[in-house]
């Protein structure tokens, strides 16, 4: 089974985010980038599929700071081939990024002929689109999102995918291949890979470079960010300070007052 | 500007979702602000009876097709695209729930429309729509405007109280035909109902909720002891469930359940919108998180900036001592 995984880097929200001076975007100077979490799950699901029924896992990523580490780590985990789209405009919106992915896939026959495209169902910066639905429309393939399990059918021509609904209810779907799946979570948590294996991957593998499509996405429907702000954190909560013992006593007092103890 | 405001009504397994009423309440405000009609669009198969509850809209378009019997984003987007081309609404409010996710982007790509996702509020300023959107896991809010019609607004749950979207009025319902394949390309084989689990977390007075900040599976035992001391149960946010540390039946939030215990003690939970959606209505929320900027403090009543693992043992002992 030939599997293509699309990965994007997003700001690490564990770090403090700063707004750019124009007030319309993030200040990228000190931004730490990490891989979109559900893209990491998409990779894991791809590796699980390969382990079960054989095949090849190709990872395609947009260039961004630290993306090389993510790609070498993908190799160390078991990906066969890693590619990076270079030379494009950084700071693409999700819709533009999805367009770049679609054009690159469309222009390379070995990418276009894969059995399934897996990518994260959503990212924290998906303000103007989700990647998987855009891609499915551009490539003319069916789309299923919020997927948490993928199994290749006996025939090899379809997968059975489990997707989440709400209240813990899930649905089992038959998806004919080729298809685009938006992965919410892999069947198992993304595997850990030791640094030594990543270093070995850096020596044994090369990241293939793909040029970003030059033709701008003319007529891309646009949105305009008028302003960005950080929500007033703790304007709502009453903050309790002190040593753990002191705070515990305060909390116990609140719980008692409310008849909870 | 004459285009209508459309609310895409979400129905699933024969019932209208709460977000449908939230969208109607918000849609009513902006339609009135723009001086245009509010129209609800209901898609499904043999569910015309549900249209009667959408009376806050001035009218309802109902599309009945076997391919719309189950939520298939592709079929729903196809149907909506046909309607949009014909009726040219100014904006559509499409739910960003686990039932409807993907429909908005698919539709927008099909008709060449802009999308505004993660919208939590919408208003009319100088005759145009401005959306407030929650980004970066709740750490940033952006005010956004769409350039071009129709704007596809991906609406997150919680924008308005659902009760504001209910009405006794019976709206006029127009049934419109669309052309779709008899069956979606992607076929639903079966629904998988959740395992009942050992504990029903929706029925607990006290919930101790753990997130990524709990760091390891081993630390879960301590949190469980604290829950026991408080006479409650343990639940978790998405990362903890994805790690396999707690079963799906204990997940609070978008894919899991919504809870409203008398006390919700959130330990090491950052408060991504998907989680907040499931617990924001609890009357007493206490949050412990090492990040002072964690969005969980926006919904908590009491906040403590600390490592959850530093608080748990002490709080457990204090509570146990009080209970004797």
């Amino acid at each position: 089974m030939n599997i293509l995984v699309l990965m994007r880097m997003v700001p690490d929200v564990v770090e403090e985010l700063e707004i750019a001076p124009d007030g319309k975007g993030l200040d990228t100077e000190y931004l730490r980038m990490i891989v979109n979490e559900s893209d990491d799950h998409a990779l894991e699901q791809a590796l699980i599929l390969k382990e079960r029924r054989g095949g090849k896992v190709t990872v395609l990523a947009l260039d961004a700071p630290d993306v090389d580490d993510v790609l070498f780590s993908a190799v160390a985990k078991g990906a066969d081939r890693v590619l990076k789209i270079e030379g494009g405009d950084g700071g693409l919106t999700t819709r533009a990024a999805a367009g770049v992915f679609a054009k690159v896939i469309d222009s390379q026959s070995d990418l276009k002929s894969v059995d399934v495209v897996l990518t994260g169902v959503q990212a924290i910066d998906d303000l103007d689109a989700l990647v998987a639905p855009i891609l499915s429309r551009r490539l003319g393939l069916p789309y299923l999102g919020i997927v948490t399990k993928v199994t290749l059918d006996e025939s090899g021509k379809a997968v059975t995918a489990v997707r989440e609904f709400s209240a813990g209810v899930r649905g089992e779907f038959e998806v004919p291949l080729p298809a685009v799946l938006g992965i919410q979570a892999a069947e198992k948590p993304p595997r850990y890979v030791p640094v030594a294996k990543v270093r070995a991957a850096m020596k044994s593998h090369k990241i293939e470079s793909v040029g970003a499509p030059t033709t701008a996405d003319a007529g891309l429907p646009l949105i305009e960010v008028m302003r960005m702000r950080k929500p007033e954190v703790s304007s709502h909560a009453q903050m309790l300070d002190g040593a753990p013992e002191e705070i515990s006593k305060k909390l116990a007092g609140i719980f008692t007052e409310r008849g909870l103890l | 500007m004459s285009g209508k405001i459309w609310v895409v009504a979400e129905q699933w397994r024969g019932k209208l979702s709460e977000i449908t009423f939230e969208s109607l309440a918000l849609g009513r405000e902006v339609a009135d602000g723009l001086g245009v009609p509010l129209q609800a669009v209901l898609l499904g198969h043999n569910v015309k009876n549900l249209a009667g509850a959408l009376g806050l809209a001035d009218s309802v378009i109902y599309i009945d097709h076997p391919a719309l019997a189950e939520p298939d984003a592709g079929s729903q987007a196809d149907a909506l695209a046909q309607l949009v081309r014909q009726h040219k609404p100014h904006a559509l409010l499409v739910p960003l729930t686990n039932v409807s996710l993907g429909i908005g982007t698919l539709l927008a790509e099909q008709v060449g429309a802009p999308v505004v996702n993660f919208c939590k509020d919408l208003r009319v300023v100088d005759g145009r729509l401005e959306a407030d959107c929650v980004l970066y896991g709740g750490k940033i809010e952006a005010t956004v405007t769409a350039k071009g019609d129709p704007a596809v607004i991906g609406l997150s749950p919680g924008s308005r109280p659902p009760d504001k979207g209910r009405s006794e009025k019976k709206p006029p319902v127009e049934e419109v035909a669309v052309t779709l394949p008899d069956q979606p390309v992607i076929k639903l084989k079966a629904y998988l109902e959740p395992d009942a689990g050992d504990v029903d977390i929706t029925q607990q007075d006290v919930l101790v909720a753990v997130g990524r900040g709990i760091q390891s599976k081993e630390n879960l035992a301590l949190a469980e002891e604290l829950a026991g001391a408080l006479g409650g149960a343990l639940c978790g946010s998405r990362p903890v469930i994805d790690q396999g540390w707690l079963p799906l039946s204990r997940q609070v939030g978008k894919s899991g359940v919504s809870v409203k215990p008398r006390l919700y003690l959130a330990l090491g939970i950052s408060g991504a919108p998907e989680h907040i959606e499931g617990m924001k209505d609890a009357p007493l929320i206490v949050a412990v998180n090492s990040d002072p900027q964690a969005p969980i403090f926006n919904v908590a009543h009491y906040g403590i900036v600390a490592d959850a693992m530093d608080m748990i043992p002490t709080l457990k002992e204090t509570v146990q001592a009080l209970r004797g």
Side-chain angles (χ1 to χ4, degrees):
Chain A
M1 185 180 202
N2 259 324
I3 308 162
L4 178 61
V5 179
L6 306 181
M7 298 184 99
R8 264 186 316 149
M9 304 295 280
V10 295
D12 184 354
V13 296
V14 170
E15 306 286 321
E16 187 151 345
L17 303 176
E18 293 297 338
I19 310 269
D22 72 355
K24 295 182 177 187
L26 288 185
D27 189 340
T28 52
E29 198 176 342
Y30 302 106
L31 217 52
R32 209 173 87 94
M33 304 294 276
I34 55 167
V35 69
N36 174 34
E37 196 175 357
S38 57
D39 291 351
D40 205 25
H41 280 269
L43 171 64
E44 181 61 35
Q45 187 62 59
L47 297 171
I48 292 171
L49 281 168
K50 177 185 159 181
E51 282 163 359
R52 253 193 232 131
R53 295 280 292 273
K56 187 175 165 185
V57 174
T58 303
V59 180
L60 178 65
L62 283 168
D63 196 11
D66 296 331
V67 74
D68 289 9
D69 293 348
V70 170
L71 290 175
F72 284 125
S73 153
V75 170
K77 288 176 176 182
D80 300 276
R81 190 180 167 207
V82 289
L83 301 96
K84 180 168 74 168
I85 305 172
E86 285 183 290
D89 180 12
L92 292 175
T93 69
T94 299
R95 192 144 185 183
V100 168
F101 277 132
K103 278 190 177 152
V104 168
I105 295 168
D106 208 40
S107 68
Q108 312 233 348
S109 56
D110 47 350
L111 298 183
K112 207 179 171 184
S113 62
V114 296
D115 299 305
V116 68
V117 181
L118 305 185
T119 192
V121 66
Q122 193 173 291
I124 51 173
D125 61 354
D126 279 345
L127 182 59
D128 71 340
L130 305 176
V131 169
I134 297 276
L135 215 67
S136 84
R137 285 295 194 228
R138 296 276 181 100
L139 302 175
L141 302 178
Y143 157 81
L144 185 69
I146 331 175
V147 171
T148 55
K149 185 179 183 181
V150 187
T151 317
L152 183 63
D153 289 358
E154 278 304 314
S155 69
K157 288 181 178 144
V159 290
T160 296
V162 173
R163 73 157 270 193
E164 292 184 347
F165 286 102
S166 61
V169 179
R170 292 166 299 153
E172 200 174 52
F173 288 83
E174 186 186 303
V175 186
L177 299 179
V180 179
L181 303 181
I183 304 291
Q184 170 77 63
E187 285 160 56
K188 285 186 282 193
R191 63 196 66 191
Y192 170 77
V193 61
V195 178
K197 274 188 101 176
V198 180
R199 289 218 185 93
M202 284 176 176
K203 285 186 187 134
S204 64
H205 278 67
K206 283 226 155 31
I207 296 172
E208 295 173 46
S209 173
V210 187
T214 46
T215 46
D217 221 332
L220 191 71
L222 289 178
I223 64 168
E224 184 192 343
V225 175
M226 302 164 74
R227 50 191 178 272
M228 270 191 186
R229 65 196 159 274
K230 294 197 218 179
E232 279 280 310
V233 170
S234 57
S235 57
H236 186 265
Q238 184 182 332
M239 304 306 283
L240 305 178
D241 305 315
E245 293 74 21
E246 213 178 315
I247 294 171
S248 293
K249 278 193 190 120
K250 283 183 200 166
L251 283 178
I254 294 162
F255 298 163
T256 308
E257 231 170 73
R258 302 271 185 133
L260 289 158
L261 288 181
Chain B
M1 188 178 304
S2 56
K4 292 177 175 137
I5 298 294
W6 278 10
V7 163
V8 177
E10 180 180 292
Q11 61 86 18
W12 183 45
R13 306 179 95 179
K15 269 193 189 154
L16 289 165
S17 311
E18 290 290 274
I19 195 161
T20 298
F21 298 103
E22 298 172 14
S23 311
L24 281 169
L26 182 61
R28 185 74 265 169
E29 285 176 28
V30 295
D32 291 348
L34 290 165
V36 300
L38 176 69
Q39 200 159 39
V41 182
L42 177 65
L43 311 172
H45 187 43
N46 300 327
V47 290
K48 195 174 183 178
N49 60 313
L50 298 177
L54 306 172
L56 199 67
D58 298 304
S59 59
V60 179
I61 296 178
Y62 173 60
I63 303 176
D64 193 294
H65 195 286
L68 300 170
E70 299 298 344
D72 172 56
S75 305
Q76 293 183 61
D78 281 345
L80 285 169
Q82 292 172 39
L83 281 190
V84 163
R85 288 196 182 105
Q86 207 179 333
H87 297 270
K88 304 194 181 343
H90 175 50
L92 296 91
L93 274 52
V94 185
L96 272 190
T97 60
N98 270 10
V99 173
S100 298
L101 192 83
I103 295 173
T105 299
L106 288 168
L107 165 68
E109 183 62 18
Q110 227 164 326
V111 301
V115 176
V116 177
N117 273 337
F118 307 136
C119 173
K120 66 154 196 171
D121 202 1
L122 201 56
R123 62 187 167 271
V124 178
V125 179
D126 299 331
R128 69 172 181 179
L129 289 176
E130 278 186 17
D132 285 336
C133 304
V134 178
L135 290 174
Y136 302 112
K139 286 225 161 167
I140 297 283
E141 284 180 18
T143 299
V144 179
T145 184
K147 299 180 142 188
D149 282 8
V152 177
I153 311 286
L155 191 64
S156 297
S159 65
R160 291 291 179 275
D163 283 346
K164 276 188 74 181
R166 298 183 212 275
S167 168
E168 296 296 311
K169 275 196 308 193
K170 293 290 163 220
V173 181
E174 180 195 357
E175 195 163 339
V176 174
V178 293
T179 312
L180 294 174
D182 289 345
Q183 266 201 9
V185 181
I186 293 176
K187 289 179 198 71
L188 175 69
K189 288 160 73 169
Y191 277 116
L192 309 172
E193 301 300 330
D195 292 334
D198 47 344
V199 173
D200 181 354
I201 57 170
T202 64
Q203 300 300 315
Q204 298 288 319
D205 272 350
V206 175
L207 284 177
V208 172
V210 293
R212 214 188 289 269
I214 202 78
Q215 294 159 21
S216 72
K217 190 174 183 180
E218 290 63 46
N219 288 339
L220 233 60
L222 273 172
E224 182 114 57
E225 285 170 27
L226 172 60
L230 285 163
L234 195 63
C235 60
S237 62
R238 169 117 234 163
V240 171
I241 313 297
D242 283 348
Q243 285 295 326
W245 296 347
L246 278 176
L248 200 57
S249 59
R250 304 278 186 120
Q251 184 176 343
V252 172
K254 195 180 265 307
S255 302
V257 292
S258 291
V259 295
K260 204 178 161 183
R262 288 171 63 204
L263 166 64
Y264 191 84
L265 178 55
L267 304 172
I269 291 178
S270 68
E274 293 79 9
H275 182 74
I276 287 180
E277 183 185 322
M279 45 63 78
K280 63 180 183 334
D281 295 327
L284 178 59
I285 299 168
V286 177
V288 182
N289 200 292
S290 55
D291 176 5
Q293 303 293 324
I296 191 77
F297 295 128
N298 292 331
V299 292
H301 302 96
Y302 293 94
I304 297 132
V305 178
D307 187 326
M309 292 316 298
D310 290 341
M311 278 305 305
I312 294 173
T314 325
L315 184 57
K316 188 192 84 181
E317 279 164 29
T318 311
V319 169
Q320 277 172 338
L322 267 174
R323 292 210 139 164

